Amino acid sequence: ETVSEIVEEESPDGRILETPNLKVFTFAELKTATKNFKGDTLLGEGGFGRVYKGWVDEKTLTPSKVGSGMIVAIKKLNHESMQGFEEWQSEVNFLGRLYHPNLVKLLGYCWEDKELLLVYEFLQKGSLENHLFRRNPAIEPLSWELRLKIAIGAARGLAFLHTSEKVIYRDFKASNILLDGNYNAKISDFGLAKLGPAGGESHVTTRVMGTYGYAAPEYIATGHLYVKSDVYGFGVVLLELMTGLRALDTKRLSGQQNLVDWLRPTLSLKKKVKTIMDVRIEGQYSSKAAILSADLTLKCLEHDPKNRPSMKEVGEALERIES
Ligand code: ADP
């Protein structure tokens, strides 16, 4: 049985809406939405299916509270072994009630025949993973200030999920952090681990579901997930933000299997902090901020979930580093 920690307070800038403000789209409307968009419509393919870019006009959106026409991201879910419609719908309605500036807003959905589609707000700058690791000349490297801003936003979003309704993200990683035009971080795909087929595929999976390199030790050992398992995943993202290295990067860290393994448990805390700082490739930040961030990262990566801070504490610690 999965044990989740109970956290009582609610994040002040987030809201749980009384009723879902979701639009139920028809398949025809979404087909038109992708046709309306001139340009490349396939944004990418992830663990849950394909994601398309579309334009939904004002008239189509009016029944929801969105107001005017907008660019959207339409996620087509793999439907094999998907749970029944009623369970799916109640879960989606629940997700539609969550509102927070650091969560990608779910605008609506469509269930027709075997097509399951989720419609999200579109985020202009795409995923953090693309910014960190799939650099092309068109993507500017992220400054230390932006990395910190992104970490703070993602921490707030995750803290809201944990505190509001005790949602455990389950598979938190850099590809699930999306960035708007101002590099505000928003968490995508929250709740999807529950909706998707059991054992939802990721590029690299452990024997249980999850992404190798990000999965918390207790998850790998027992298959049990805790709120604090997300904190571990967040720690891995922090490590990636600081070092510019991928969680799973066998090329750079020859002989090691992933980024975290390279922080060998036998190293003293001081040596680990130094190792993180030595390996960093970006080198734009002050050593004081680097030491504090490295220290926080290591706390998130503690082996025992109980010793990891809560996401609220992580967010506050990052804000102190920023100020
Ligand atoms: P993954 O399973 O790897 O996290 P996703 O299925 O979430 O991938 O998304 C696939 C691609 O589509 C990603 O590269 C991501 O950048 C892009 N994408 C997903 N959702 C959005 C969105 N709301 N706005 C902009 N781009 C998105």
Side-chain angles (χ1 to χ4, degrees):
E1 207 186 276
T2 302
V3 186
S4 68
E5 290 188 7
I6 310 285
V7 192
E8 296 302 336
E9 340 80 284
E10 186 170 316
S11 182
D13 50 0
R15 272 183 297 146
I16 310 288
L17 308 169
E18 272 178 29
T19 50
N21 65 344
L22 289 177
K23 169 161 172 70
V24 184
F25 290 93
T26 65
F27 192 58
E29 280 172 338
L30 294 184
K31 242 179 144 166
T32 310
T34 49
K35 277 207 194 109
N36 279 347
F37 194 84
K38 295 174 184 55
D40 240 355
T41 55
L42 184 64
L43 283 170
E45 187 155 10
F48 295 102
R50 292 191 165 167
V51 186
Y52 298 88
K53 191 175 180 181
W55 169 263
V56 181
D57 63 26
E58 197 168 348
K59 221 172 100 217
T60 308
L61 279 173
T62 307
S64 79
K65 291 174 191 149
V66 181
S68 57
M70 65 193 294
I71 303 179
V72 294
I74 302 169
K75 183 164 280 202
K76 218 167 163 177
L77 298 180
N78 299 327
H79 56 264
E80 299 96 43
S81 65
M82 185 68 80
Q83 49 191 254
F85 176 62
E86 268 160 41
E87 201 180 337
W88 189 87
Q89 193 188 35
S90 95
E91 205 58 51
V92 167
N93 278 332
F94 162 69
L95 297 178
R97 287 171 50 223
L98 300 180
Y99 176 79
H100 190 276
N102 299 109
L103 296 184
V104 178
K105 183 75 188 99
L106 179 63
L107 303 171
Y109 67 91
C110 169
W111 172 294
E112 193 173 278
D113 285 336
K114 283 180 181 137
E115 300 280 17
L116 310 175
L117 304 116
L118 292 174
V119 183
Y120 288 100
E121 67 174 314
F122 173 76
L123 289 171
Q124 200 188 325
K125 294 206 180 279
S127 78
L128 174 62
E129 188 198 27
N130 286 339
H131 279 267
L132 286 177
F133 309 122
R134 287 189 206 155
R135 286 217 192 124
N136 63 44
I139 296 183
E140 268 187 58
L142 295 169
S143 66
W144 168 249
E145 285 74 24
L146 282 181
R147 286 170 199 237
L148 199 50
K149 174 179 172 164
I150 291 164
I152 290 172
R156 286 180 184 153
L158 204 48
F160 174 71
L161 285 179
H162 288 173
T163 57
S164 62
E165 301 274 323
K166 288 126 208 135
V167 174
I168 301 177
Y169 190 93
R170 289 163 192 244
D171 191 14
F172 191 73
K173 53 188 169 182
S175 67
N176 295 129
I177 300 174
L178 301 184
L179 305 169
D180 74 7
N182 294 318
Y183 294 95
N184 290 308
K186 296 190 185 222
I187 296 177
S188 76
D189 282 357
F190 51 92
L192 274 200
K194 253 172 116 178
L195 285 178
E201 292 296 317
S202 294
H203 305 294
V204 190
T205 52
T206 56
R207 68 190 161 79
V208 282
M209 195 181 95
T211 305
Y212 189 67
Y214 291 91
E218 67 274 12
Y219 189 41
I220 295 170
T222 66
H224 288 185
L225 274 170
Y226 304 82
V227 162
K228 294 284 179 80
S229 312
D230 283 349
V231 178
Y232 185 93
F234 189 86
V236 179
V237 172
L238 278 181
L239 201 51
E240 292 183 323
L241 275 167
M242 289 200 70
T243 62
L245 300 178
R246 249 182 204 283
L248 188 71
D249 190 336
T250 46
K251 277 195 294 292
R252 297 193 76 110
L253 304 164
S254 56
Q256 300 292 340
Q257 287 185 302
N258 72 47
L259 193 52
V260 177
D261 286 348
W262 140 91
L263 292 170
R264 290 191 304 280
T266 47
L267 288 181
S268 70
L269 188 63
K270 220 171 150 187
K271 283 229 174 80
K272 282 184 186 170
V273 171
K274 192 173 174 307
T275 310
I276 294 177
M277 289 173 60
D278 284 349
V279 91
R280 75 187 198 272
I281 56 166
E282 309 301 332
Q284 305 149 319
Y285 40 90
S286 78
S287 59
K288 189 175 158 244
I291 292 169
L292 289 173
S293 310
D295 194 60
L296 181 65
T297 304
L298 291 167
K299 283 189 184 127
C300 294
L301 296 174
E302 279 279 347
H303 187 83
D304 185 343
K306 284 195 216 72
N307 294 336
R308 296 172 206 149
S310 69
M311 278 317 301
K312 190 164 176 273
E313 289 165 339
V314 173
E316 287 164 359
L318 287 166
E319 282 161 22
R320 283 196 296 275
I321 295 171
E322 189 187 41
S323 62

